[in-house]
Amino acid sequence: MNMTITVNGASHQLDVPDNELLVDLLRERLRLTGTHVGCDTSQCGACTVHLDGRAVKSCSLFAAQADGGSVTTIEGIGTPGDLHPMQRAFRECHGLQCGFCTPGMIMRAIDLVARSDGLDGGAVRDGLEGNLCRCTGYHNIVHAVLKGQELMGGNDE
Amino acid sequence: MSEGTGIGASVKRREDVRFLTGSGTYTDDLNQPGQTYGVFLRSPHARARIGAIDASEALALDGVLAVYTGQDSAADGLGDLPCGWLVKSKDGSDMVSAPRPPLAVTQVNYVGEPYGLVVGETLAAAQQGAELVMTDFTELNPVVDPASAADSETIHEGLDSNVVYDWGLGDEEATDAALAGAAHVTQLDLSNNRLIPNAIEPRAAIGVYEAASGDYTLYATTQNPHLERLVLAAFVQVAPEHKLRVVAPDVGGGFGSKIFIYPEETIVLWAAGKLGRPIKWTAHRYESFLADAHGRDHITHAQLGLDRDGRFVALKVSTTANIGAYLSTFGSSVPTFLYGTLLAGQYKTPNIYVETLGVYTNTCPVDAYRGAGRPEATFVVERMVETAARELGRDPAELRRLNMIQPEDFPYETPVALVYDTGDYEASLDKALELADYGGFEARRRESAAAGKRRGVGFACYIEACGIAPSQLAISLGAGVGLYESGEIRINPTGSVSVFTGAHSHGQGHETTFAQVVSDKLGIPFDDIEIVHGDSGRMEFGLGTYGSRSLAVGGSALIVAADKIIAKGKKIAAHMMETTDDNVDFEDGTFSSGNQQATIQEVAFASYVPADYPEDLEPGLSEKAFYDPKNFTYPAGTHIAEVEVDEETGEVDLVSFVAVDDFGEIINPMIVDGQVHGGLAQGAGQALMEHGRYDDYGQLQTGSYMDYCMPRADDLPDFVVDTTVTACTHNPLGVKGCGEAGAIGSPAAIINAISDALDGHNIAMPATSEQVWRALGGK
């Protein structure tokens, strides 16, 4: 089908098969390989991106479902020279090791913070339960999200 | 030297920026010109004879390029996948190795075993093709239960039984005698649950063959690219070693599961040669569950004898280890030399005997998973000690203290083949007791009771043998390779530095810590030092990362290389200063003699622009070293878990966890803490929720994240971690390794805590709410 999608601010007119997943559109068609695939049951959250401002698992949406929508991926929130506050917080707090779950964690964390009036550690843990990490034991991720919340200071992403 | 980036500083990781911005390059992120896609044909049966394979429909499908089967790879002369460690049975006989062809040829022996590869122009074509391949299987009786495997129908044709080896270590007679004379003997039946490693990045591989040059390249998710190259060249004979480059780009976690030489990577490379086009394969998560080597899976009976004072007099351990369907790369060593040798723990138990019966079953091969043998050993020792303390009415911390090896006892030779070089076990115990507020536990227990909850506290005083491994010792015990590490330091003409290490980072942060080490040693700014790893085309050799070895072995290699750089630099500086090299000192990046000085950068420049240069000295300032450790390192520590158990539901809340570890000297405390956190989470996962289960037919019941319970953020507490330091005595950095400790100590500590809450009930892992509820009498 023909579809229009805005990804990281750039508009794309694409002809995609009906059964193409959003994550495949991002990774294979647009070569935005920062969004990862860690499972096949929508459990790990490595593929989390923002669709119209909400965190979604891009492995569990067809690309067509994002027709007319605006997607932000990890590549769209900051650059090496100008990291998003949440990215800075993850670095500051050693909230990543192998880095594979990190993009999904960060996209989820930004949404989590943006939609709350202030999270404590327990709320962060609850909010991240859809994202698996095997390296960090979550300890530093939780601290990073709290730090990111502080650095975001109520600003929208 | 800036204090902010030297040894001991929590330098922020330089690799983070690429990972944080989505710029990391994992294997599946790579594509090659003309690339095709591979999908493996996997056995749906636990044990079956392979009959006719009809690929005609698949091959007729548009976009399907080829179907390769085990017949094809066998006909091509592809060798079997070897096991790298020869273990001998008590009677001196060699272990029994069932041949493991990379693609099954006549018989499949576990669900998920690959027996063919379908290659398509697109992934979709390959997937559709795979579904159209018709295979006749004749099902055979599977052997699934390790407890009865030795007496069951023999899985592998041509073998006498399912016994891989019947291994023993220690003095059985003396141990039996000491047990017979003991004032008290504690006995337990224990199991160590099967785990599925689950690095979040699934395995992936891209095989590339260039016909014009005959060069092969394998991009793969491996923890040890050179070992992969060595095995593929020497044993499987896919390609000659000098024509094969193995690249491990960014790798998304390993935990052991990416050490091994697997069928898939092997076949993708071989098939790329057959097809003449690159082939990419990326595992689905269900393939990770079915076909990444699993971990643990022991059944154990143990006896601990104590004298009237509570001193341990003997430990006897009998274990059945599930090897799986085949011996994986290091599968033989994990339940033997990496397990039995650790059964002294931190204690002066004078008599120890351990025997391990390794058995084949129709399950995925079992191999090293974070800790590899040492969590199993710690679980046995620490469950026994805790249970003995309960039976004797002794404080579990004090019973341990009474039996601990003391600082003045080092070097301490255990009855099970190791010589511990150093340690201060009471120091870790005392610090952990303080951090856990052990003195306040009874008050907390009463508070919990008032709220209808049972509270328990549990200890694990673990030891591990890391820095794997001294080659001579390892080879004398059956290892097929040396376990040294290589390092190379190239000072570039402008004074910047390229460092090449055979260790591999897949989350550990070597690009940061190794730069700290080299910066500290050579007095060169941290930012001027680049760490290169993971590419057999860029560094000479290496044995990779596992067994908490990278810093202790790979880091030490860099120190030796740096010493060579300094020695050569002194010769160059001596010439510049018109003196002899024994008159030249080196400190903080500067060579000096009397009042003359030259920075290492100036000396490097002089070495590359040898306008005025001694005739007997080669230009350039680049040195290599191979470092072979003199002994294992022995990280040790005390972990204390506190749990609350809900009597109504059996739910266990891990309320607090304290880990105090002695890793020797520490390069980057931030990274060390992170390593411990991750290990603790994996240990908590083992203790509380993870279990790789097969049904009686050999079907994996836990084949996805829907069924295999991974620890999530809301399952775990914040961890309290701290360290004590006794420096390793035999490597130049004084380091011991920190990668596995968390996973080694924590299962025993958590289960001891739950057992404490359940009045000593011998609860099995994983202590799910159902298990605990049943232990509480629920029906």
Side-chain angles (χ1 to χ4, degrees):
Chain A
M1 65 168 280
N2 286 305
M3 64 177 288
T4 306
I5 186 169
T6 302
V7 180
N8 300 333
S11 179
H12 301 268
Q13 303 266 347
L14 300 169
D15 184 12
V16 302
D18 291 349
N19 63 354
E20 182 161 314
L21 298 173
L22 178 57
V23 68
D24 293 329
L25 181 150
L26 296 170
R27 282 185 59 81
E28 306 300 333
R29 207 173 278 276
L30 302 182
R31 300 301 305 149
L32 292 167
T33 54
T35 300
H36 297 151
V37 179
C39 76
D40 39 24
T41 51
S42 303
Q43 294 281 306
C44 81
C47 65
T48 304
V49 299
H50 293 176
L51 173 60
D52 297 327
R54 295 296 302 255
V56 297
K57 291 182 177 179
S58 61
C59 76
S60 55
L61 285 172
F62 290 116
Q65 290 174 276
D67 187 17
S70 177
V71 170
T72 306
T73 70
I74 190 73
E75 291 92 343
I77 59 164
T79 62
D82 183 21
L83 295 176
H84 185 282
M86 191 60 78
Q87 291 170 311
R88 270 193 283 144
F90 268 67
R91 180 155 198 248
E92 193 67 29
C93 300
H94 188 33
L96 66 156
Q97 290 182 25
C98 82
F100 197 79
C101 77
T102 309
M105 280 287 176
I106 288 177
M107 298 312 283
R108 174 67 190 135
I110 290 170
D111 185 45
L112 193 61
V113 169
R115 277 170 207 292
S116 83
D117 298 328
L119 300 160
D120 62 11
V124 171
R125 286 183 182 275
D126 287 345
L128 293 179
E129 72 90 40
N131 290 68
L132 287 175
C133 171
R134 195 59 152 168
C135 292
T136 65
Y138 304 100
H139 180 108
N140 284 342
I141 290 179
V142 173
H143 289 259
V145 176
L146 293 171
K147 178 82 176 173
Q149 172 175 255
E150 186 189 317
L151 294 177
M152 281 168 71
N155 295 335
D156 291 340
E157 61 173 280
Chain B
M1 174 84 289
S2 156
E3 292 205 352
T5 56
I7 287 176
S10 286
V11 180
K12 303 299 176 219
R13 299 197 324 168
R14 52 168 50 154
E15 41 274 85
D16 285 356
V17 175
R18 68 176 188 271
F19 295 142
L20 288 166
T21 53
S23 317
T25 307
Y26 301 88
T27 301
D28 187 55
D29 299 340
L30 296 168
N31 290 302
Q32 298 297 318
Q35 176 178 292
T36 65
Y37 295 83
V39 168
F40 282 91
L41 301 171
R42 295 186 182 277
S43 172
H45 304 296
R47 184 164 172 245
R49 218 177 298 290
I50 303 172
I53 301 174
D54 179 0
S56 56
E57 272 191 68
L59 288 165
L61 193 72
D62 199 25
V64 171
L65 299 168
V67 177
Y68 301 106
T69 68
Q71 301 276 4
D72 299 321
S73 53
D76 224 33
L78 219 54
D80 294 332
L81 297 173
C83 175
W85 200 302
L86 177 69
V87 172
K88 289 179 185 286
S89 288
K90 294 169 191 168
D91 64 6
S93 60
D94 288 351
M95 67 184 187
V96 179
S97 293
R100 185 187 188 193
L103 290 176
V105 183
T106 57
Q107 185 173 315
V108 282
N109 288 306
Y110 62 97
V111 171
E113 180 174 4
Y115 68 92
L117 175 74
V118 179
V119 185
E121 285 285 356
T122 63
L123 181 58
Q127 281 168 333
Q128 285 166 20
E131 282 171 23
L132 293 173
V133 175
M134 304 299 288
T135 306
D136 284 336
F137 287 107
T138 306
E139 284 188 70
L140 303 167
N141 292 326
V143 175
V144 182
D145 180 10
S148 56
D151 303 318
S152 300
E153 186 177 328
T154 303
I155 292 170
H156 294 284
E157 213 171 298
L159 300 190
D160 294 335
S161 80
N162 295 323
V163 174
V164 182
Y165 47 64
D166 180 10
W167 175 86
L169 179 67
D171 186 336
E172 184 174 23
E173 210 173 306
T175 304
D176 283 340
L179 282 171
H184 180 84
V185 177
T186 290
Q187 304 207 36
L188 279 182
D189 288 305
L190 299 165
S191 61
N192 208 285
N193 41 328
R194 178 180 277 249
L195 302 177
I196 304 180
N198 274 303
I200 305 297
E201 179 205 25
R203 281 193 294 127
I206 307 172
V208 181
Y209 174 66
E210 290 163 55
S213 62
D215 289 342
Y216 285 83
T217 306
L218 176 67
Y219 299 90
T221 50
T222 172
Q223 299 177 214
N224 32 236
H226 289 84
L227 190 64
E228 178 108 31
R229 182 178 70 156
L230 175 64
V231 171
L232 293 184
F235 296 93
V236 190
Q237 300 187 327
V238 183
E241 200 169 6
H242 66 294
K243 289 301 212 179
L244 173 57
R245 177 179 168 208
V246 178
V247 183
D250 286 327
V251 174
F255 317 112
S257 71
K258 292 172 182 169
I259 298 172
F260 319 119
I261 315 307
Y262 283 101
E264 293 87 352
E265 290 88 325
T266 305
I267 289 299
V268 160
L269 184 68
W270 165 78
K274 300 292 285 180
L275 188 68
R277 288 177 63 183
I279 302 175
K280 181 180 193 173
W281 163 76
T282 302
H284 285 269
R285 179 56 54 182
Y286 76 84
E287 295 180 280
S288 313
F289 276 103
L290 290 172
D292 286 6
H294 294 180
R296 318 284 193 254
D297 210 348
H298 286 194
I299 304 164
T300 292
H301 180 73
Q303 303 170 72
L304 175 67
L306 299 91
D307 69 14
R308 282 180 207 297
D309 299 327
R311 290 197 165 79
F312 308 153
V313 296
L315 176 66
K316 188 171 187 184
V317 176
S318 179
T319 292
T320 299
N322 193 345
I323 296 294
Y326 301 96
L327 280 161
S328 175
T329 314
F330 290 110
S332 56
S333 62
V334 176
T336 52
F337 291 108
L338 294 176
Y339 166 68
T341 54
L342 275 301
L343 287 168
Q346 299 186 355
Y347 312 113
K348 290 193 269 194
T349 313
N351 302 288
I352 301 175
Y353 180 72
V354 51
E355 56 189 0
T356 301
L357 187 71
V359 292
Y360 288 120
T361 60
N362 290 112
T363 63
C364 182
V366 177
D367 207 324
Y369 167 62
R370 200 172 196 169
R374 292 149 291 170
E376 296 92 313
T378 298
F379 190 71
V380 170
V381 173
E382 292 301 295
R383 285 290 295 129
M384 296 303 291
V385 172
E386 192 97 358
T387 304
R390 171 170 294 277
E391 289 172 354
L392 295 171
R394 304 281 291 254
D395 180 286
E398 295 315 307
L399 185 69
R400 286 177 167 88
R401 190 191 299 279
L402 175 71
N403 284 284
M404 278 177 175
I405 299 162
Q406 296 300 313
E408 63 269 21
D409 297 328
F410 295 104
Y412 178 83
E413 186 172 357
T414 74
V416 275
L418 296 179
V419 179
Y420 300 168
D421 65 329
T422 184
D424 185 348
Y425 307 140
E426 281 197 83
S428 304
L429 174 64
D430 286 336
K431 199 167 196 178
L433 289 171
E434 188 189 327
L435 288 171
D437 183 25
Y438 185 55
F441 173 73
E442 285 305 327
R444 292 193 295 280
R445 195 197 302 259
R446 285 192 296 274
E447 273 174 40
S448 295
K453 301 275 178 76
R454 289 172 175 239
R455 199 175 187 100
V457 63
F459 293 80
C461 297
Y462 74 92
I463 192 160
E464 46 174 335
C466 294
I468 290 173
S471 294
Q472 280 192 20
L473 177 59
I475 292 169
S476 76
L477 297 177
V481 288
L483 287 160
Y484 46 81
E485 192 49 90
S486 76
E488 180 178 353
I489 299 178
R490 294 183 200 159
I491 317 271
N492 300 312
T494 56
S496 68
V497 183
S498 301
V499 175
F500 300 82
T501 174
H504 182 267
S505 183
H506 32 280
Q508 294 88 343
H510 298 165
E511 291 167 41
T512 303
T513 46
F514 283 20
Q516 287 179 255
V517 167
V518 173
S519 172
D520 203 275
K521 178 78 182 175
L522 292 179
I524 292 173
F526 175 81
D527 289 338
D528 291 349
I529 300 168
E530 175 199 30
I531 305 295
V532 183
H533 64 96
D535 184 347
S536 74
R538 293 194 71 186
M539 65 272 316
E540 183 172 305
F541 196 66
L543 286 154
T545 287
Y546 40 83
S548 304
R549 69 191 301 275
S550 296
L551 188 62
V553 190
S556 295
L558 294 179
I559 293 294
V560 177
D563 281 331
K564 292 183 185 178
I565 291 272
I566 293 167
K568 184 170 179 189
K570 282 185 177 176
K571 289 183 182 164
I572 302 165
H575 181 73
M576 293 163 74
M577 296 169 188
E578 297 181 334
T579 182
T580 54
D581 56 354
D582 53 357
N583 285 324
V584 177
D585 293 321
F586 178 76
E587 199 178 343
D588 291 342
T590 301
F591 294 93
S592 61
S593 180
N595 59 1
Q596 299 186 89
Q597 289 194 333
T599 65
I600 190 167
Q601 291 86 354
E602 289 166 343
V603 167
F605 186 79
S607 78
Y608 284 101
V609 189
D612 172 23
Y613 203 72
E615 282 180 11
D616 58 348
L617 204 55
E618 288 177 28
L621 194 53
S622 171
E623 296 287 349
K624 290 176 189 169
F626 280 73
Y627 177 82
D628 202 340
K630 297 175 187 69
N631 189 355
F632 292 95
T633 63
Y634 298 97
T638 293
H639 291 184
I640 303 178
E642 223 168 289
V643 299
E644 260 192 349
V645 174
D646 187 314
E647 294 207 1
E648 295 293 315
T649 64
E651 191 181 357
V652 177
D653 184 9
L654 181 58
V655 179
S656 73
F657 199 100
V658 171
V660 177
D661 302 294
D662 177 357
F663 299 132
E665 302 292 351
I666 286 173
I667 307 301
N668 185 319
M670 174 190 82
I671 287 179
V672 168
D673 287 354
Q675 289 291 309
V676 176
H677 296 153
L680 294 178
Q682 286 175 321
Q686 166 160 34
L688 296 170
M689 54 193 81
E690 295 181 40
H691 194 180
R693 270 179 207 274
Y694 284 91
D695 70 10
D696 293 345
Y697 305 97
Q699 293 291 334
L700 184 65
Q701 293 180 306
T702 51
S704 82
Y705 288 144
M706 311 285 276
D707 323 290
Y708 186 88
C709 192
M710 293 275 282
R712 292 173 185 271
D714 57 350
D715 293 315
L716 298 169
D718 261 20
F719 302 113
V720 178
V721 301
D722 208 334
T723 53
T724 57
V725 177
T726 60
C728 174
T729 59
H730 57 78
N731 66 47
L733 286 163
V735 299
K736 299 183 183 178
C738 66
E740 297 167 289
I744 289 170
S746 55
I750 293 169
I751 292 298
N752 281 336
I754 298 171
S755 177
D756 183 41
L758 300 178
D759 303 323
H761 181 85
N762 182 22
I763 189 88
M765 297 192 288
T768 60
S769 52
E770 181 193 347
Q771 295 302 321
V772 173
W773 181 73
R774 289 189 190 284
L776 286 163
K779 288 184 180 114

